[in-house]
Every structure is written in C-alpha cells, then in structure tokens.
Amino acid sequence: MHIPTCDTHTLAVTPFAQALEEALRPNPSYDVSRWLYVPNTYTGYRYLLGTRGKRPLICVGINPSTAAPDALDNTLKSVERIALGNGYDSFLMFNVYAQRATRPDDMERNCNPTLHAENMAAFRYLLEQSQEAPSIWAAWGAIIEKRNYLADCLRDMAQLGDAYGARWYSAGARSKKGHPHHPLYLRKDSPLDPFDLSSYLLSFEKESR
C-alpha cells in the first residue's frame, strides 16, 4: 500500500517532457515497446501508465495507486479488459490528480500547481496520440468529491479535450449525482456509453454550492 509520506509540494517534481524522454529509453524492469510508464521509476506521483497501440482508450481516474508495468492492480486489470472488449487495442491510464495514494482520503489537502500543470502536459500528450478523435473513459466515481480542487483539475481537462475533439464515455451505472462508475467490479463486457462532460460539470457545480 502506498501512503504518502509528504505533500508533493516538498518534492522535486520532474517535468513531464523530461519524464517522458526518460520513459522512452530501454528499461531493464519492463518492455518499453509494450508499456508507457511516466515517470519510469516508482515515485510519489505518476503521470501515465498503459500499453502502446494505434487505437488507445484513455481511462481517467482520480489518482494513481501502486500499479506499474507487469504489476497492474485490480482496477487497471479491469480497465484493460474493458478497453479490449470495446475494440481498442490498448489502454492509457490517466488521473485527474497525479499524486499516488492508495486511499483517496490520503491525498494532499491543497493542489500542487506545479504537479497539476505537468499532469495537464501529460494529458495533452495523450490526446495527441490518437489517430482519430481521442476516446476518453470517465471512470472516477464519487471519489471526485474527496477534494475541492479535483473538479477544477477536471475542468482544465475538459478544455483540452474540447480542443482535440475528444469523445467522452462512461461504463456501468452512474450514481444519483451523475458520477461515472469506477472501473472496479464492472463486467468485462461492459459497453461504453456517451458521457456529456459539460452537462456533468454544470450539475456537479450546482450540487457543490
């Protein structure tokens, strides 16, 4: 279990571009031709984790846990199954906030603007990888209510997605408040349904007032 020992504000955050450059180099721990893992060593935050392909499904959770190449946790195993089951050849796991924490309750209380900016650089990179309109699976569940800054991070993601013509989806039943279902415990043949992110953000904003 990963329990943050400090706020990311106290860490020297590696810029995404530098972390990506390092992740593209051969690594004795895993096959870089199969995996994208940024940063490519275990640290207190993670920008990206996924497999390489020509038609990826970008899955968006709240924050990363302990998963790594060839050592996926149950959530990411479910993500991979559902991505392949819906006709995608790969999956790319991204998170609204990049700090690792097995329990969302352990996430830092205040957003680290440097980490958020680099995380958005990672998201832009993912959007650029699709050869067609990017497919994004909203999969954060009600966990987005854990910290006030998470909705603001998601709004920044929505703007970037709009710029690239992204198509948003969800899988499984949504909560009474409209939150998209978390990947864990979904059937492997769960279909992806269109998800209106703009309407969701508006309703979420009204609910938070």
Side-chain angles (χ1 to χ4, degrees), residues 18-126:
Q18 178 184 336
L20 175 63
E21 182 180 353
E22 295 169 354
L24 296 178
R25 299 172 188 160
N27 190 305
S29 300
Y30 63 93
D31 182 359
V32 297
S33 68
R34 167 169 164 72
W35 293 99
L36 181 64
Y37 183 42
V38 189
N40 65 348
T41 56
Y42 195 94
T43 186
Y45 57 92
R46 189 187 77 210
Y47 297 127
L48 307 175
L49 172 59
T51 52
R52 297 181 181 275
K54 295 182 178 180
R55 190 167 185 261
L57 175 62
I58 302 170
C59 181
V60 179
I62 285 297
N63 69 296
S65 183
T66 60
D70 298 317
L72 298 182
D73 57 21
N74 289 334
T75 295
L76 266 70
K77 289 177 182 177
S78 180
V79 168
E80 184 172 36
R81 285 193 299 267
I82 292 172
L84 298 178
N86 280 275
Y88 296 90
D89 65 359
S90 52
F91 79 94
L92 293 166
M93 189 70 207
F94 181 78
N95 290 279
V96 176
Y97 197 62
Q99 184 191 28
R100 283 191 193 261
T102 304
R103 298 191 317 159
D105 285 334
D106 292 328
M107 280 191 295
E108 52 202 4
R109 294 289 174 180
N110 299 301
C111 177
N112 179 341
T114 299
L115 183 63
H116 173 60
E118 295 304 328
N119 203 39
M120 291 302 98
F123 188 55
R124 183 185 296 275
Y125 171 80
L126 288 186

Side-chain angles (χ1 to χ4, degrees), residues 148-171:
N148 292 333
Y149 59 78
L150 294 172
D152 292 331
C153 294
L154 183 58
R155 290 185 186 96
D156 289 344
M157 291 174 57
Q159 290 184 349
L160 281 173
D162 287 347
Y164 285 84
R167 298 171 181 169
W168 289 81
Y169 301 92
S170 65

